[in-house]
DNA sequence: ACCAAAACTGACTGACCACTCAGTCTACTA
DNA sequence: TAGTAGACTGAGTGGTCAGTCAGTTTTGGT
């Protein structure tokens, strides 16, 4: 592990445990086993370390999502695969997501900063994958034909995000919800059963 | 308006516009038209001002939610009323919610702080209202009989939270989603149409 | 009018911490 | 071996800001 990677790892652990604001650059340096100055050799600022944590996890997230849809038999299966992947991935990388969800929004700088644009791009990509899967399901008949793809993509994204956030940052313990969530979405999305009337 | 109220109002505006960390107590005092010391006469710390913003908005939020369910004809209508109320209320109080969503999680102190407990209580109440409406709908036949009330309450809460958060803090503009959201939930919740077969 | 308590003031302070910078070390090339 | 570019160091610093406190004003009760 290079020192740069060690810094991101150490920062992830500390930010997740104590929060961004409550973690000093001295602590990050100490845990990473580097000098304080090394942080600022590799990163322009403390906030850029936060952004690196985000980038590092989002690259893996999006790769996984793309893989999840690739093998699905139809649109509905693709959506289900996306949902399952997202929930599992977030569970597995809970520390990173904790940091990203709690601290990133507070530290994205002005509305025209390049950091904001970078994050916006990532979000748009996630959204597009959902929308594609939905459009596919509408076409191949595995979902209701009147489904509004864009709006539903936003809804699904909000749903996953809201649940994950409560699991990671919430003060209330959530029961396991994966299967209930999948059922809920399937009910909402699937074409009405063509009963043999 | 008392000076204490003026402080909460000023803090809400500044926190919403610039964020909690980037707002100094001196600025809050100046905008509220009081001396710096007055802040600390009324509030133990800067974070307690943040908590006051939260409390102030949550009291109104919960009162409104209770009213929304009271007049509903059945469980499904109650859920719909809750969803509509939540979306409308957040829209109307977007500044306060922006602050609460972005900055509160980072500043809740240790896991056993009284502040955390206070927030937890509020969240539990919201959840209970949803769960009640769902249980009601399952009983009165306006929803699927096999609906898991607790899990679904969590899902609905996550859904609203996720969407609202993207609207208030997200970097992507959301289209109006109220009706699509209601439709989505209705599909997921409603009893399968008993076709005349 | 008098008093006491509550509300309020604002100059001050001390701790904190992100970031700097002048210099050292390491690895590679010619 | 000398040269050099990139990686790394860590003590130092300057600006910031939450919170304090000794004193003043306002309020309300008798």
């Amino acid at each position: 592990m290079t020192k740069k990677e060690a810094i991101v790892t150490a920062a992830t652990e500390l930010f997740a445990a104590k929060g961004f604001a409550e973690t000093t650059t001295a602590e990050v340096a100490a845990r990473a086993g580097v000098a304080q100055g090394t942080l600022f050799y590799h990163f322009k600022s403390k906030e850029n370390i936060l952004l690196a944590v985000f980038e590092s996890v989002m690259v893996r997230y999006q790769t996984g999502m793309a893989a999840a849809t690739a093998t699905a038999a139809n649109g509905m299966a693709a959506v289900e695969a996306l949902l399952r992947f997202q929930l599992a991935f977030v569970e597995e990388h809970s520390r990173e997501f904790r940091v990203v969800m709690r601290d990133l929004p507070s530290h994205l700088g002005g509305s025209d900063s390049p950091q904001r644009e970078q994050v916006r791009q990532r979000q748009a990509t996630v959204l597009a994958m959902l929308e594609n899967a939905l459009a596919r399901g509408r076409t191949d008949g595995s979902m209701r034909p009147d489904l509004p793809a864009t709006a539903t993509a936003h809804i699904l994204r909000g749903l996953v995000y809201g649940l994950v956030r409560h699991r990671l940052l919430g003060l209330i313990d959530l029961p396991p919800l994966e299967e209930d969530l999948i059922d809920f979405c399937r009910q909402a999305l699937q074409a009405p059963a063509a009963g043999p009337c």
Side-chain angles (χ1 to χ4, degrees), chain A:
Chain A
M1 188 160 54
T2 67
K3 294 202 171 184
K4 187 169 181 179
E5 287 164 349
I7 290 168
V8 173
T9 303
T12 301
E13 291 165 0
L14 289 169
F15 292 169
K18 314 177 31 177
F20 179 79
E22 288 70 33
T23 303
T24 66
T25 52
E27 288 170 317
V28 175
R31 176 176 274 245
V34 304
Q36 279 210 59
T38 310
L39 300 198
F40 297 93
Y41 176 74
H42 288 294
F43 301 96
K44 208 163 88 32
S45 67
K46 185 185 175 188
E47 290 188 1
N48 275 36
I49 301 177
L50 182 60
L51 202 65
V53 173
F54 172 75
E55 271 300 300
S56 153
V57 73
M58 282 309 274
V59 168
R60 286 172 282 160
Y61 190 55
Q62 292 188 349
T63 309
M65 281 186 75
T69 49
T71 56
N74 59 30
M76 181 67 99
V79 168
E80 182 174 334
L82 280 177
L83 294 177
R84 287 191 191 280
F85 170 79
Q86 289 180 290
L87 295 172
F89 186 89
V90 167
E91 192 72 30
E92 192 184 344
H93 298 83
S94 54
R95 280 193 321 230
E96 285 95 329
F97 272 93
R98 214 175 134 78
V99 173
V100 165
M101 293 205 188
R102 187 180 49 197
D103 295 316
L104 197 64
S106 317
H107 297 91
L108 275 183
S111 60
D112 50 353
S113 71
Q115 291 142 35
R116 257 184 131 79
E117 182 49 30
Q118 200 171 343
V119 172
R120 216 189 55 73
Q121 272 300 335
R122 293 280 176 206
Q123 292 184 354
T125 304
V126 170
L127 209 54
M129 287 192 206
L130 278 169
E131 196 169 337
N132 282 343
L134 289 165
R136 186 175 159 198
R138 208 174 41 184
T139 306
D140 67 20
S142 57
M143 294 180 194
R144 349 174 32 84
D146 58 334
L147 202 72
T150 305
T152 308
H154 281 290
I155 289 171
L156 288 179
R157 178 164 127 81
L159 184 43
V160 170
Y161 185 94
L163 273 185
V164 161
R165 191 159 216 277
H166 285 147
R167 169 141 292 149
L168 296 183
L169 298 180
L171 309 174
I172 296 171
D173 282 334
L174 293 199
L177 288 172
E178 282 75 13
E179 296 312 317
D180 292 306
L181 172 64
I182 302 282
D183 282 351
F184 186 90
C185 292
R186 203 200 314 273
Q187 290 295 337
L189 299 174
Q190 76 191 170
C197 293

